[in-house]
Amino acid sequence: MRRAYVPAQPVGGVQGDPAGASLYPAWLRGRKRQIVDGMSDKSRLVVIIGSVREGRFGPVVASWVADQIQAHGGFDVDLVDLARVDIPLALPAAPPKFAGDDYPRPEGMKNLTRKLSEADAFILVTPEYNHSYPASLKALIDWHFTQWTAKPVAFVSYGGAAGGRHAVLHLENVLTELHAVTIRDGLAFPNYFTAWQDGAPLDAAAAGYAKTLLEQLSWWAQALRAARTAAPYPGGA
């Protein structure tokens, strides 16, 4: 594993819990976010599981990341499992950048859109398919625009020899176009099929990389939230 490429009240329920891993750790089940009027002392983090394929490994990775977030303690978390959300590939004629609040999203997407709008930061958990990221993530991104603007996005990737890094490089390009801020340090897990055991990576350094990611993500989340509160972001719409 290289420099870190380093989950959550769910949208939808548990599906495809491979390797016996629980998608929602005990600390998360039934947990309600503690958001007070105005600005919480914690940043609102949305963790997105990008894979929807049968037998996916994403929930295992997300569960481990959830434990790292709990240990960090700086976030209120929501989990979005794309396997449980209605995300059509066919898009309306007018792009969301210009349609704004009038953009005609499916009824089943409204809760997801609300969570993205309220978020201060994101973590995308993605596999690598054919040197890129899954279509489910691209569809999610393309149905939204302002929800990503002036917010930090971090990546947790997994795959074969490259550990999902090609997927992350492509996601960085796409999210930059939406005026998001991508975090340099993330988590990448090469050859995850042999590098994990009992729901955790075998590399003892992984938790340290996760802490670095979360520290950077927390800094950017707080800084950008304060900036968005002080003045509208220029050029995002």
Side-chain angles (χ1 to χ4, degrees):
M1 192 179 71
R2 61 143 179 167
R3 69 172 174 92
Y5 253 140
V6 97
Q9 202 87 324
V11 175
V14 178
Q15 181 183 24
D17 226 6
S22 173
L23 183 57
Y24 311 111
W27 68 269
L28 188 57
R29 299 187 197 111
R31 180 175 181 269
K32 295 183 178 180
R33 296 191 316 180
Q34 299 174 350
I35 300 293
V36 298
D37 291 340
M39 293 178 64
S40 168
D41 59 342
K42 293 186 177 183
S43 298
R44 292 171 287 190
L45 172 61
V46 171
V47 179
I48 299 169
I49 301 177
S51 175
V52 300
R53 80 187 310 171
E54 186 176 352
R56 64 208 171 116
F57 191 71
V60 179
V61 179
S63 182
W64 179 83
V65 173
D67 291 336
Q68 311 313 305
I69 295 173
Q70 183 206 14
H72 179 270
F75 298 95
D76 288 303
V77 190
D78 279 310
L79 177 70
V80 170
D81 183 356
L82 297 190
R84 306 296 292 174
V85 183
D86 177 23
I87 308 180
L89 295 180
L91 296 167
K97 177 177 181 178
F98 302 113
D101 293 338
D102 295 327
Y103 194 61
R105 296 183 179 91
E107 185 66 28
M109 195 183 295
K110 289 185 176 179
N111 191 35
L112 166 59
T113 298
R114 177 183 61 80
K115 289 180 182 294
L116 298 182
S117 298
E118 293 176 351
D120 296 311
F122 304 95
I123 292 178
L124 302 186
V125 179
T126 182
E128 181 177 314
Y129 299 159
N130 301 319
H131 274 211
S132 193
Y133 57 95
S136 49
L137 267 177
K138 187 62 164 67
L140 169 72
I141 292 169
D142 288 349
W143 273 100
H144 301 88
F145 187 89
T146 56
Q147 290 78 12
W148 309 105
T149 299
K151 297 178 183 180
V153 185
F155 305 96
V156 178
S157 64
Y158 57 96
R165 297 184 190 109
H166 301 103
V168 171
L169 286 172
H170 291 179
L171 281 166
E172 287 173 338
N173 286 335
V174 171
L175 288 161
T176 297
E177 175 64 18
L178 276 62
H179 299 262
V181 175
T182 58
I183 303 304
R184 177 193 181 276
D185 289 315
L187 281 174
F189 293 103
N191 301 318
Y192 69 90
F193 32 83
T194 58
W196 283 63
Q197 184 175 338
D198 299 327
L202 294 174
D203 188 344
Y209 288 130
K211 182 178 180 180
T212 297
L213 177 149
L214 292 168
E215 286 296 316
Q216 293 183 4
L217 188 63
S218 178
W219 189 95
W220 277 107
Q222 294 181 43
L224 291 173
R225 178 171 55 165
R228 293 194 308 273
T229 300
Y233 175 77

